Amino acid sequence: MLKKRIIPCLDIKGGRTVKGINFVGIKDAGNPIELAKRYVQQGADELVFLDITATIENRKTLKDLVKRIAQEINIPFTVGGGINTAEDVDQLIAAGADKVSVNSSAVKRPELITEIAQQYGNQCTVVAIDTKFENNEWKVFVHGGRTPTELNTVDWARHVEQLGAGEILLTSMNNDGTKAGFALDITEQVSQAVNIPVIASGGAGNKEHFNELFKKTSATAGLAASIFHYEEVAIPTLKEYLKQQNINIR
Amino acid sequence: MIAIIKYNAGNIASVQNALSRLGYDSIITDNAEEILSADKVIFPGVGEASSAMQYLKERKLDKVILSIKQPILGICLGLQLMCNYSEEGNTECLGIFNNQVKQFPPLDKVPHMGWNNFEELKSELFNGIDATNDLYYVHSYYAELGENTVATCNYIKPFSAALQKNNFYATQFHPEKSADIGTQILKNFCAL
């Protein structure tokens, strides 16, 4: 039986983890490799690294970081943030990333999705969608959620699947940071509209939220950041709880 | 020395990283002599079957792979290319295993992506490992069951999670990405 995945997300700036981290036993809280290794030990199913600055001078730092992550961890990981061209993808894959995630750049130039999928396969091609419910419609936002687009979220999800995306990372901006639970409605709408896996993101505040996500939607993974960083929800406790709730979990 | 076959398939470095964590030296190469003189060979890869086969044929690596006498481990696309035929790009493959590779019907999410278990383990690759463990899979095509199947997995339908014939070993899952269980399988292979 295929298991539902629990995915911690690490925001990276200049090669360091941002957002505070208060894990006991990690000497250098800003070091993403230490944190990644900790998550692997705890049973994380995959990791996502998002470069939130993504400036040109930071690309080399990111590439070096990806190389070190690939040397140290033995589970799959996705790298996203600031990927605009097939060359950006080449560098990250060569450094050892298993998947890359594109967001604003794919809205700007949708062929980028096809280019990545043709070169590296659709399993390598993650499209991140930031969505917000406004005026009675779920719309796609870009540039870290700052810029609205005219795209309807479900339509865009269908389109990226056709273009070759192998997975969708769907973040509800209405829910992100609220700790009030995942956006179940749009997660299920997108999951039903496409036949590729959907990772739900935004709003996880406690272990019950993951149970609700997996019971009420067909999302194949749940992603969160701060609740794992701060150990408000520890991964082993979460996975044990979900097993008791009869969710298929590794 | 372990030779990792270099071809146009993504993320071969992760196999090398996994081997160096285990303390094994490896070389990523498409040189026939280096491949044939290695202690073990790994044939990794994610990618597309027809372009990968074409690349191998252009460099005569298909003949090299068939002539390997030492243990060789195909991973993911490597497993599929070691079969008879793949529906992906309508591709004649290496024919080491008498299996057909087919596309998953769209009865559930495709690719089959994530952690799944394996059953009916019948290879020394899996010494010390029981079937309750999960491994990392990511693929849209699968090898049918056959006489060389040494582990099975069920997603949409039962398929070959691993194949073996003489010195030819192959896994559909990625041992290099399957946490400690995957590491144990690679270790078992390296110790053959």
Side-chain angles (χ1 to χ4, degrees), chain A residues 1-5 43-46 74-76 239 248-250, chain B residues 73 75-76 79 112-122 125-139 150-155 159-163 170-188:
Chain A
M1 186 72 86
L2 183 65
K3 308 303 185 294
K4 300 288 187 182
R5 286 171 285 157
D45 295 309
E46 267 183 58
N74 57 7
I75 62 169
K239 294 186 100 173
N248 289 308
I249 287 286
R250 177 170 76 104
Chain B
L73 176 66
I75 298 173
C76 194
L79 173 143
H112 173 216
M113 186 186 285
W115 297 81
N116 206 332
N117 60 324
F118 61 169
E119 295 174 274
E120 301 175 68
L121 312 184
K122 286 183 275 190
L125 277 187
F126 309 129
N127 284 347
I129 289 167
D130 68 63
T132 57
N133 289 295
D134 289 307
L135 303 130
Y136 191 79
Y137 294 81
V138 50
H139 57 122
V150 292
T152 64
C153 178
N154 195 347
Y155 184 72
F159 65 88
S160 296
L163 294 162
T171 63
Q172 181 60 63
F173 53 83
H174 286 269
E176 77 282 13
K177 289 288 165 184
S178 294
D180 294 345
I181 297 306
T183 303
Q184 183 62 47
I185 292 169
L186 278 179
K187 205 170 164 182
N188 289 348

Coordinates of all heavy atoms in Angstrom, one line a residue, chain A residues 1-5 43-46 74-76 239 248-250, chain B residues 73 75-76 79 112-122 125-139 150-155 159-163 170-188:
Chain A
M1 N 0.8 -1.2 0.0 CA 0.0 0.0 0.0 C 0.9 1.2 0.0 O 1.8 1.4 0.8 CB -0.9 -0.1 1.2 CG -1.9 1.1 1.3 SD -3.3 0.8 0.1 CE -4.4 -0.2 1.0
L2 N 0.6 2.1 -0.9 CA 1.3 3.4 -1.0 C 1.0 4.2 0.3 O -0.2 4.4 0.6 CB 1.0 4.2 -2.3 CG 1.7 5.5 -2.5 CD1 3.2 5.2 -2.7 CD2 1.1 6.2 -3.7
K3 N 2.0 4.8 0.9 CA 1.8 5.5 2.1 C 1.6 7.0 1.9 O 2.2 7.6 0.9 CB 3.1 5.4 3.0 CG 3.5 3.9 3.3 CD 2.4 3.0 3.8 CE 2.8 1.6 4.2 NZ 3.2 0.8 3.0
K4 N 0.9 7.7 2.7 CA 0.8 9.1 2.7 C 2.1 9.7 3.2 O 2.7 9.2 4.2 CB -0.4 9.6 3.6 CG -1.7 9.1 3.2 CD -2.2 9.7 1.9 CE -3.6 9.2 1.6 NZ -4.1 9.8 0.3
R5 N 2.6 10.8 2.6 CA 3.9 11.3 2.9 C 3.8 12.5 3.8 O 2.9 13.4 3.7 CB 4.6 11.7 1.6 CG 5.2 10.6 0.8 CD 5.7 11.1 -0.5 NE 4.6 11.4 -1.4 CZ 4.7 12.2 -2.5 NH1 5.9 12.8 -2.7 NH2 3.7 12.5 -3.3
G43 N 12.1 10.3 10.6 CA 11.1 9.6 9.7 C 10.4 10.4 8.7 O 9.4 10.0 8.1
A44 N 10.9 11.6 8.4 CA 10.3 12.4 7.3 C 10.4 11.6 6.0 O 11.4 10.9 5.8 CB 11.1 13.7 7.2
D45 N 9.4 11.7 5.2 CA 9.3 10.9 4.0 C 10.0 11.6 2.8 O 10.4 10.9 1.8 CB 7.9 10.6 3.6 CG 7.2 9.8 4.7 OD1 7.8 8.7 5.0 OD2 6.1 10.2 5.2
E46 N 10.1 12.9 2.8 CA 10.8 13.6 1.8 C 11.1 15.0 2.4 O 10.5 15.3 3.5 CB 9.8 13.9 0.6 CG 10.0 12.9 -0.5 CD 9.1 13.2 -1.7 OE1 9.2 14.3 -2.3 OE2 8.3 12.3 -2.0
N74 N 19.6 10.4 2.8 CA 19.3 9.2 2.0 C 17.8 9.1 1.7 O 17.2 8.0 1.6 CB 19.8 8.0 2.6 CG 19.4 7.7 4.0 OD1 18.5 8.4 4.5 ND2 19.9 6.7 4.7
I75 N 17.1 10.2 1.7 CA 15.7 10.2 1.2 C 15.6 11.3 0.1 O 16.4 12.1 0.0 CB 14.7 10.5 2.4 CG1 14.9 11.9 3.0 CG2 14.7 9.4 3.4 CD1 13.8 12.3 3.9
P76 N 14.5 11.3 -0.7 CA 14.4 12.2 -1.8 C 14.1 13.7 -1.3 O 13.6 13.9 -0.2 CB 13.1 11.7 -2.5 CG 12.8 10.4 -2.0 CD 13.4 10.4 -0.6
K239 N 3.3 10.6 13.1 CA 3.2 9.4 12.3 C 2.5 8.3 13.1 O 1.7 7.6 12.6 CB 4.5 9.0 11.8 CG 5.0 10.0 10.7 CD 6.3 9.6 10.0 CE 6.0 9.0 8.7 NZ 7.2 8.7 7.9
N248 N -2.5 5.2 6.1 CA -1.3 4.4 5.7 C -0.1 5.3 5.8 O 0.0 6.3 5.0 CB -1.5 3.9 4.3 CG -2.5 2.8 4.2 OD1 -2.4 1.8 5.0 ND2 -3.5 2.9 3.3
I249 N 0.8 5.0 6.7 CA 1.9 5.9 7.0 C 3.1 4.9 7.1 O 3.0 3.8 7.6 CB 1.7 6.6 8.3 CG1 0.7 7.7 8.1 CG2 3.0 7.2 8.9 CD1 1.1 8.9 7.3
R250 N 4.3 5.4 6.6 CA 5.5 4.6 6.8 C 5.9 4.6 8.2 O 6.0 5.7 8.9 CB 6.6 5.3 5.9 CG 8.0 4.6 6.0 CD 8.9 5.1 4.9 NE 9.4 6.5 5.3 CZ 10.6 6.7 5.7 NH1 11.4 5.7 5.9 NH2 11.0 8.0 5.9
Chain B
L73 N 23.6 -4.2 -10.8 CA 22.3 -3.8 -10.2 C 21.7 -2.7 -11.0 O 22.2 -1.6 -11.1 CB 22.5 -3.3 -8.8 CG 21.3 -2.8 -8.0 CD1 20.2 -3.9 -7.8 CD2 21.7 -2.1 -6.7
I75 N 18.7 0.0 -11.5 CA 17.7 0.8 -10.6 C 16.7 1.5 -11.4 O 17.1 2.3 -12.3 CB 18.5 1.7 -9.6 CG1 19.5 0.9 -8.7 CG2 17.5 2.5 -8.8 CD1 20.4 1.8 -7.9
C76 N 15.4 1.4 -11.1 CA 14.3 2.2 -11.7 C 14.3 2.0 -13.2 O 14.0 0.9 -13.7 CB 14.4 3.6 -11.2 SG 12.9 4.5 -11.6
L79 N 16.2 -1.0 -14.3 CA 15.4 -2.3 -14.3 C 14.6 -2.4 -15.6 O 14.6 -3.5 -16.2 CB 14.5 -2.3 -13.1 CG 13.5 -3.5 -13.0 CD1 13.3 -4.0 -11.6 CD2 12.1 -3.2 -13.6
H112 N 3.4 6.5 -9.8 CA 3.4 5.9 -8.5 C 4.6 6.5 -7.7 O 5.8 6.3 -8.0 CB 3.7 4.4 -8.7 CG 3.9 3.6 -7.4 ND1 4.8 2.5 -7.3 CD2 3.3 3.7 -6.2 CE1 4.7 2.0 -6.1 NE2 3.9 2.7 -5.4
M113 N 4.3 7.4 -6.8 CA 5.4 8.2 -6.2 C 5.2 8.2 -4.7 O 4.2 8.6 -4.1 CB 5.2 9.7 -6.7 CG 6.4 10.6 -6.2 SD 6.1 12.3 -6.6 CE 6.5 12.3 -8.4
G114 N 6.3 7.7 -4.0 CA 6.3 7.7 -2.6 C 6.8 6.3 -2.0 O 7.4 5.5 -2.7
W115 N 6.4 6.1 -0.8 CA 6.9 4.9 -0.1 C 5.9 3.8 -0.1 O 4.7 4.0 0.2 CB 7.2 5.3 1.4 CG 8.3 6.3 1.5 CD1 8.2 7.6 1.4 CD2 9.7 6.0 1.8 NE1 9.4 8.2 1.5 CE2 10.3 7.3 1.8 CE3 10.4 4.9 2.1 CZ2 11.7 7.4 2.1 CZ3 11.8 5.0 2.4 CH2 12.4 6.3 2.3
N116 N 6.3 2.6 -0.6 CA 5.5 1.5 -0.6 C 6.3 0.2 -0.2 O 7.5 0.3 -0.3 CB 4.9 1.3 -2.1 CG 3.6 0.6 -2.1 OD1 3.3 -0.2 -1.2 ND2 2.8 0.8 -3.1
N117 N 5.6 -0.8 0.2 CA 6.3 -2.0 0.7 C 6.6 -2.9 -0.5 O 6.4 -2.6 -1.6 CB 5.5 -2.7 1.8 CG 4.2 -3.2 1.2 OD1 3.6 -2.5 0.4 ND2 3.7 -4.3 1.7
F118 N 7.2 -4.1 -0.2 CA 7.5 -5.1 -1.2 C 7.3 -6.5 -0.5 O 7.3 -6.6 0.7 CB 8.8 -5.0 -1.9 CG 10.1 -5.0 -1.0 CD1 11.3 -5.1 -1.6 CD2 10.0 -5.0 0.4 CE1 12.5 -5.2 -0.9 CE2 11.2 -5.0 1.1 CZ 12.4 -5.1 0.5
E119 N 7.0 -7.5 -1.3 CA 6.6 -8.8 -0.7 C 7.3 -9.9 -1.5 O 7.8 -9.7 -2.6 CB 5.1 -8.9 -0.8 CG 4.3 -7.9 0.0 CD 2.8 -8.0 -0.2 OE1 2.3 -7.4 -1.2 OE2 2.2 -8.7 0.5
E120 N 7.1 -11.1 -1.0 CA 7.7 -12.3 -1.6 C 9.1 -12.1 -2.0 O 9.5 -12.3 -3.1 CB 6.8 -12.6 -2.8 CG 5.3 -12.9 -2.5 CD 4.5 -13.1 -3.7 OE1 4.7 -14.1 -4.4 OE2 3.7 -12.2 -4.1
L121 N 9.9 -11.8 -1.0 CA 11.3 -11.5 -1.2 C 12.1 -12.8 -1.5 O 12.1 -13.7 -0.6 CB 11.9 -10.7 0.0 CG 11.1 -9.5 0.5 CD1 11.8 -8.8 1.6 CD2 10.7 -8.6 -0.7
K122 N 12.8 -12.9 -2.6 CA 13.5 -14.1 -3.0 C 14.9 -13.8 -3.5 O 15.2 -14.4 -4.5 CB 12.6 -14.8 -4.0 CG 11.4 -15.5 -3.5 CD 10.7 -16.3 -4.6 CE 9.8 -15.4 -5.3 NZ 8.8 -16.1 -6.3
L125 N 19.8 -10.1 -2.1 CA 19.7 -8.7 -1.9 C 19.0 -8.3 -0.7 O 19.2 -7.2 -0.1 CB 19.0 -8.0 -3.1 CG 19.8 -7.7 -4.4 CD1 18.9 -6.9 -5.3 CD2 21.1 -7.0 -4.2
F126 N 18.0 -9.1 -0.3 CA 17.1 -8.7 0.8 C 17.4 -9.5 2.1 O 16.6 -9.6 3.0 CB 15.7 -9.0 0.4 CG 15.4 -8.3 -1.0 CD1 14.8 -9.1 -2.0 CD2 15.7 -7.0 -1.2 CE1 14.5 -8.5 -3.2 CE2 15.4 -6.4 -2.4 CZ 14.8 -7.1 -3.5
N127 N 18.6 -10.0 2.2 CA 19.0 -10.7 3.5 C 18.9 -9.7 4.6 O 19.3 -8.6 4.5 CB 20.5 -11.1 3.4 CG 20.6 -12.4 2.5 OD1 19.6 -13.0 2.2 ND2 21.8 -12.7 2.1
G128 N 18.3 -10.1 5.7 CA 18.1 -9.3 6.9 C 17.0 -8.3 6.8 O 16.9 -7.4 7.6
I129 N 16.2 -8.4 5.7 CA 15.2 -7.4 5.5 C 13.8 -8.1 5.4 O 13.7 -9.1 4.8 CB 15.4 -6.6 4.2 CG1 16.6 -5.7 4.4 CG2 14.2 -5.8 3.7 CD1 17.2 -5.1 3.1
D130 N 12.8 -7.5 6.1 CA 11.5 -8.2 6.0 C 10.5 -7.2 5.2 O 10.8 -6.1 5.1 CB 11.0 -8.6 7.4 CG 10.6 -7.4 8.2 OD1 9.7 -6.6 7.9 OD2 11.2 -7.3 9.3
A131 N 9.5 -7.9 4.8 CA 8.5 -7.2 3.9 C 7.7 -6.1 4.5 O 6.9 -5.5 3.8 CB 7.7 -8.3 3.2
T132 N 7.9 -5.9 5.8 CA 7.1 -4.8 6.4 C 7.7 -3.4 6.1 O 7.1 -2.4 6.4 CB 7.0 -5.0 7.9 OG1 8.3 -5.0 8.5 CG2 6.3 -6.2 8.3
N133 N 8.9 -3.4 5.5 CA 9.6 -2.2 5.3 C 9.1 -1.5 4.0 O 8.7 -2.1 3.1 CB 11.1 -2.4 5.1 CG 11.7 -2.8 6.4 OD1 11.7 -2.0 7.4 ND2 12.2 -4.0 6.5
D134 N 9.1 -0.2 4.0 CA 8.8 0.6 2.9 C 10.0 1.1 2.1 O 11.0 1.5 2.8 CB 7.9 1.8 3.3 CG 6.5 1.4 3.8 OD1 5.9 0.6 3.0 OD2 6.1 1.7 4.9
L135 N 9.8 1.2 0.8 CA 10.9 1.7 0.0 C 10.4 2.8 -0.9 O 9.2 2.9 -1.1 CB 11.4 0.6 -0.9 CG 11.9 -0.6 -0.1 CD1 11.2 -1.8 -0.6 CD2 13.4 -0.7 0.0
Y136 N 11.3 3.7 -1.4 CA 10.8 4.8 -2.2 C 10.8 4.5 -3.7 O 11.8 4.1 -4.3 CB 11.8 6.0 -2.0 CG 11.2 7.3 -2.6 CD1 10.2 8.0 -1.9 CD2 11.6 7.7 -3.9 CE1 9.7 9.1 -2.5 CE2 11.0 8.9 -4.4 CZ 10.1 9.6 -3.7 OH 9.5 10.7 -4.2
Y137 N 9.6 4.6 -4.3 CA 9.3 4.3 -5.7 C 8.9 5.7 -6.4 O 8.2 6.5 -5.8 CB 8.1 3.4 -5.8 CG 8.2 2.0 -5.3 CD1 8.0 1.7 -4.0 CD2 8.5 1.0 -6.2 CE1 8.1 0.4 -3.5 CE2 8.6 -0.3 -5.7 CZ 8.4 -0.6 -4.4 OH 8.5 -1.9 -3.9
V138 N 9.4 5.8 -7.6 CA 8.8 6.9 -8.4 C 8.9 6.5 -9.9 O 10.0 6.4 -10.5 CB 9.4 8.3 -8.1 CG1 10.9 8.2 -8.2 CG2 8.9 9.3 -9.1
H139 N 7.7 6.1 -10.5 CA 7.7 5.6 -11.8 C 6.3 5.6 -12.4 O 5.3 5.4 -11.6 CB 8.3 4.2 -11.9 CG 7.6 3.1 -11.0 ND1 7.1 2.0 -11.5 CD2 7.4 3.1 -9.7 CE1 6.6 1.3 -10.5 NE2 6.7 2.0 -9.4
V150 N 11.8 -11.3 -8.1 CA 12.2 -11.7 -6.8 C 11.7 -10.9 -5.7 O 12.0 -11.0 -4.5 CB 13.8 -11.8 -6.7 CG1 14.3 -12.9 -7.6 CG2 14.4 -10.5 -7.1
A151 N 10.8 -9.9 -6.1 CA 10.0 -9.2 -5.1 C 8.9 -8.5 -5.8 O 9.0 -8.1 -7.0 CB 10.9 -8.1 -4.4
T152 N 7.7 -8.4 -5.1 CA 6.6 -7.8 -5.8 C 6.1 -6.6 -5.0 O 6.4 -6.5 -3.8 CB 5.4 -8.8 -5.9 OG1 5.0 -9.1 -4.5 CG2 5.8 -10.1 -6.6
C153 N 5.4 -5.7 -5.7 CA 4.8 -4.6 -5.1 C 3.4 -4.5 -5.7 O 3.2 -4.9 -6.9 CB 5.6 -3.3 -5.3 SG 4.8 -1.8 -4.6
N154 N 2.4 -3.9 -5.0 CA 1.1 -3.7 -5.6 C 0.7 -2.3 -5.6 O 0.6 -1.6 -4.5 CB 0.1 -4.5 -4.8 CG -1.2 -4.7 -5.5 OD1 -1.5 -4.1 -6.5 ND2 -2.0 -5.6 -5.0
Y155 N 0.6 -1.7 -6.8 CA 0.0 -0.3 -6.9 C -0.8 -0.4 -8.2 O -0.2 -0.6 -9.3 CB 1.1 0.7 -7.0 CG 0.6 2.1 -7.1 CD1 0.0 2.7 -5.9 CD2 0.6 2.9 -8.2 CE1 -0.5 4.0 -6.0 CE2 0.1 4.1 -8.3 CZ -0.5 4.7 -7.2 OH -1.0 6.0 -7.2
F159 N 3.2 -5.7 -9.6 CA 4.3 -5.6 -10.5 C 5.6 -6.1 -9.9 O 5.6 -6.4 -8.7 CB 4.4 -4.2 -11.1 CG 4.8 -3.2 -10.1 CD1 6.1 -2.9 -9.8 CD2 3.8 -2.5 -9.3 CE1 6.5 -1.9 -8.9 CE2 4.2 -1.5 -8.4 CZ 5.5 -1.2 -8.2
S160 N 6.7 -6.1 -10.7 CA 8.0 -6.6 -10.2 C 8.7 -5.5 -9.5 O 9.1 -4.5 -10.1 CB 8.9 -7.1 -11.3 OG 8.3 -8.2 -12.0
A161 N 8.8 -5.6 -8.1 CA 9.6 -4.6 -7.4 C 11.1 -4.9 -7.5 O 11.9 -4.0 -7.4 CB 9.2 -4.7 -5.9
A162 N 11.4 -6.2 -7.8 CA 12.8 -6.5 -8.1 C 12.9 -7.7 -9.0 O 12.0 -8.6 -9.0 CB 13.5 -6.8 -6.8
L163 N 13.9 -7.8 -9.8 CA 14.2 -8.9 -10.7 C 15.6 -9.4 -10.5 O 16.5 -8.7 -10.1 CB 14.0 -8.4 -12.2 CG 12.6 -8.0 -12.6 CD1 12.7 -7.1 -13.9 CD2 11.7 -9.2 -12.8
A170 N 18.0 -6.2 -10.2 CA 17.4 -4.9 -10.5 C 16.3 -4.6 -9.6 O 15.6 -5.5 -9.1 CB 16.8 -5.0 -12.0
T171 N 16.2 -3.3 -9.2 CA 15.1 -2.9 -8.3 C 14.3 -1.8 -9.0 O 14.9 -0.9 -9.6 CB 15.6 -2.5 -6.9 OG1 16.4 -1.3 -7.1 CG2 16.4 -3.5 -6.2
Q172 N 13.0 -1.8 -8.9 CA 12.2 -0.7 -9.3 C 12.2 0.5 -8.4 O 12.3 1.6 -8.8 CB 10.7 -1.1 -9.5 CG 9.8 -0.1 -10.1 CD 10.3 0.5 -11.4 OE1 10.3 -0.3 -12.4 NE2 10.7 1.7 -11.5
F173 N 12.3 0.2 -7.1 CA 12.5 1.2 -6.1 C 13.9 1.8 -6.1 O 14.8 1.2 -6.7 CB 12.1 0.7 -4.7 CG 12.8 -0.5 -4.3 CD1 14.1 -0.4 -3.7 CD2 12.2 -1.8 -4.5 CE1 14.8 -1.6 -3.4 CE2 12.9 -2.9 -4.1 CZ 14.2 -2.8 -3.6
H174 N 14.1 2.9 -5.4 CA 15.4 3.5 -5.4 C 16.1 3.2 -4.0 O 15.8 3.9 -3.0 CB 15.3 5.0 -5.5 CG 14.9 5.5 -6.9 ND1 15.9 5.8 -7.8 CD2 13.8 5.6 -7.5 CE1 15.3 6.1 -9.0 NE2 14.0 6.0 -8.8
P175 N 17.0 2.2 -4.0 CA 17.6 1.9 -2.7 C 18.4 3.1 -2.2 O 18.5 3.4 -0.9 CB 18.5 0.7 -3.0 CG 18.6 0.6 -4.5 CD 17.4 1.3 -5.0
E176 N 18.9 3.9 -3.1 CA 19.8 5.1 -2.7 C 19.0 6.2 -2.1 O 19.5 7.1 -1.5 CB 20.6 5.6 -3.9 CG 19.9 6.4 -4.9 CD 19.0 5.6 -5.9 OE1 18.7 4.4 -5.7 OE2 18.6 6.3 -6.9
K177 N 17.6 6.1 -2.2 CA 16.7 7.1 -1.6 C 15.8 6.5 -0.6 O 14.8 7.1 -0.2 CB 15.9 7.8 -2.7 CG 16.8 8.7 -3.6 CD 17.1 10.0 -2.9 CE 18.3 10.7 -3.6 NZ 18.7 11.9 -2.8
S178 N 16.0 5.3 -0.2 CA 15.1 4.6 0.7 C 15.6 4.4 2.1 O 15.4 3.4 2.8 CB 14.7 3.2 0.1 OG 14.1 3.3 -1.1
A179 N 16.2 5.5 2.6 CA 16.6 5.6 4.0 C 17.4 4.4 4.4 O 18.2 3.8 3.5 CB 15.4 5.8 4.9
D180 N 17.3 3.9 5.6 CA 18.3 2.9 6.1 C 18.0 1.5 5.5 O 19.0 0.7 5.3 CB 18.1 2.7 7.6 CG 18.6 4.0 8.4 OD1 19.3 4.8 7.7 OD2 18.3 4.1 9.5
I181 N 16.8 1.2 5.1 CA 16.4 -0.1 4.4 C 17.1 -0.1 3.1 O 17.7 -1.1 2.7 CB 14.9 -0.2 4.3 CG1 14.2 -0.2 5.6 CG2 14.6 -1.5 3.5 CD1 14.8 -1.3 6.6
G182 N 17.0 1.0 2.3 CA 17.7 1.0 1.0 C 19.2 0.9 1.2 O 19.8 0.2 0.3
T183 N 19.7 1.5 2.2 CA 21.2 1.4 2.4 C 21.6 0.0 2.6 O 22.6 -0.5 2.1 CB 21.6 2.3 3.6 OG1 21.1 3.6 3.4 CG2 23.1 2.3 3.9
Q184 N 20.7 -0.8 3.4 CA 21.0 -2.2 3.7 C 21.0 -3.0 2.4 O 21.9 -3.9 2.2 CB 20.0 -2.7 4.7 CG 20.2 -4.2 5.1 CD 21.6 -4.4 5.8 OE1 21.9 -3.6 6.7 NE2 22.4 -5.3 5.4
I185 N 20.1 -2.7 1.5 CA 20.0 -3.4 0.2 C 21.3 -3.1 -0.6 O 21.9 -4.1 -1.2 CB 18.7 -3.1 -0.5 CG1 17.5 -3.6 0.3 CG2 18.7 -3.6 -1.9 CD1 16.1 -3.1 -0.2
L186 N 21.7 -1.9 -0.7 CA 22.9 -1.5 -1.4 C 24.1 -2.3 -0.8 O 25.0 -2.7 -1.5 CB 23.1 0.0 -1.4 CG 22.4 0.8 -2.4 CD1 22.7 2.3 -2.2 CD2 22.7 0.4 -3.8
K187 N 24.1 -2.3 0.5 CA 25.2 -2.9 1.3 C 25.2 -4.4 0.9 O 26.3 -5.0 0.7 CB 25.0 -2.8 2.8 CG 26.2 -2.8 3.6 CD 25.8 -2.3 5.0 CE 26.9 -2.7 6.0 NZ 26.5 -2.3 7.4
N188 N 24.1 -5.1 0.9 CA 24.0 -6.5 0.5 C 24.5 -6.7 -0.9 O 25.2 -7.7 -1.2 CB 22.5 -7.0 0.6 CG 22.0 -7.1 2.0 OD1 22.8 -7.0 3.0 ND2 20.7 -7.3 2.2

